[in-house]
Amino acid sequence: MIYFSPSTRGFYDARLHSARPSDAVAISPARHKAMLDGQAKGLQIIASANGRPTLKARAAVDPRAVLLRRVKREAARRIGAVAPVWRQLNDQREPSAAGAARFAAIDAIRAASDAIEATIAAAPTQALAAIDVANHLLWPAE
């Protein structure tokens, strides 16, 4: 017997799982297969009002939002390469010329990140696919 839990959005096979969430409901093997087939086609498995699994089309992904997240990740990566958090804290506790240089580099990365985000915000939708966040010309040299 296969069970579906709305709270975990997971499946539990009675032969493999001796314990399962209290909200788990029994489903047929055919329904389980249909859910997995739908998920493989890009659909999302959700719980219906009665707790049974059902398929739902995923929301369209906003390419602009994806690019903005990439910019934030790239900025964080670059900042971490200049000075990990522990180094930044030490530079604040004991100021030095080297620490000031690291903070200036971090400020340049943040300014570039802001400029790249503004570029993405202003770009027409059809131009978004051509934006290479990791190698954008606005990033300061590493």
Side-chain angles (χ1 to χ4, degrees):
M1 182 63 64
I2 304 287
Y3 294 86
F4 173 77
S5 167
S7 62
T8 65
R9 287 188 9 207
F11 295 101
Y12 299 85
D13 188 326
R15 298 171 297 180
L16 302 173
H17 304 101
S18 57
R20 55 190 169 269
S22 61
D23 64 349
V25 295
I27 62 168
S28 71
R31 180 121 179 119
H32 179 241
K33 183 182 179 328
M35 294 298 105
L36 295 181
D37 289 346
Q39 186 178 43
K41 292 176 183 167
L43 298 174
Q44 185 176 17
I45 300 171
I46 63 167
S48 66
N50 64 1
R52 298 227 173 271
T54 189
L55 295 168
K56 174 184 167 190
R58 292 186 187 272
V61 176
D62 178 12
R64 202 172 308 273
V66 169
L67 284 173
L68 293 174
R69 284 192 300 272
R70 286 184 187 156
V71 171
K72 291 182 186 319
R73 278 195 309 269
E74 182 63 20
R77 185 196 68 75
R78 288 171 179 263
I79 289 170
V82 169
V85 173
W86 66 266
R87 168 61 70 196
Q88 293 176 47
L89 291 171
N90 287 346
D91 287 342
Q92 286 179 334
R93 289 184 184 125
E94 295 181 32
S96 67
R102 283 188 286 271
F103 281 127
I106 289 170
D107 289 343
I109 292 168
R110 287 186 176 133
S113 174
D114 291 344
I116 295 168
E117 287 182 23
T119 300
I120 291 167
T125 304
Q126 63 272 19
L128 295 176
I131 297 175
D132 182 1
V133 169
N135 299 304
H136 201 284
L137 296 176
L138 293 175
W139 290 120
E142 289 189 271

